[in-house]
Amino acid sequence: MSDANAGSQSSPDFNRMTRDIADVPAVEVITTVAVHLMSAAAVNLGLAEEGPQHKDLDEARKLINALAGLVTASATEISSFHAAPLRDGLKSLQLAFREASAVPDEPGQGPGEKFTGPVFG
């Protein structure tokens, strides 16, 4: 095998990847990204198996803000069938953040609340 062939076999096929992503419906991309943001936020809230070992509220705040923006902006595009569970997950994370904070934010000032409005338990 020549060096040219070895290099092409190990590099990603960007044309194929572009075709593959073009075949994925937008609702699937949006919900997948939202689930990744939720998972990362949960880990940073200390809700993973290792718990406090990965707790980082600053990182969690950023992820929840991004999730709130995505869910709010896409809700009308992805239908309530898909948006409702994302909103529920977002609210759960917002409440978990408030609970995990030593000094909770004022209502309406928590992560993502500029997009969702104040979140109450």
Side-chain angles (χ1 to χ4, degrees):
M1 180 185 314
S2 72
D3 287 339
N5 287 340
S8 65
Q9 288 178 347
S10 64
S11 65
D13 182 354
F14 290 111
N15 289 331
R16 182 173 165 260
M17 289 169 55
T18 301
R19 281 192 310 275
D20 289 347
I21 198 71
D23 294 335
V24 179
V27 67
E28 209 171 302
V29 173
I30 293 166
T31 55
T32 300
V33 169
V35 168
H36 284 292
L37 289 168
M38 283 183 186
S39 298
V43 168
N44 282 287
L45 286 171
L47 302 176
E49 273 186 37
E50 296 82 29
Q53 178 182 348
H54 298 289
K55 190 173 181 179
D56 184 337
L57 294 183
D58 184 52
E59 289 294 300
R61 179 182 294 276
K62 293 171 188 171
L63 292 161
I64 295 169
N65 275 325
L67 175 63
L70 176 63
V71 169
T72 302
S74 64
T76 59
E77 304 294 331
I78 64 174
S79 81
S80 60
F81 176 78
H82 296 286
L86 296 178
R87 281 193 205 105
D88 291 344
L90 170 60
K91 182 178 179 181
S92 295
L93 290 169
Q94 289 171 309
L95 292 171
F97 184 92
R98 187 176 308 282
E99 197 173 292
S101 298
V103 180
D105 296 312
E106 291 294 319
Q109 302 301 309
E113 291 183 358
K114 67 182 173 186
F115 300 108
T116 64
V119 175
F120 301 99

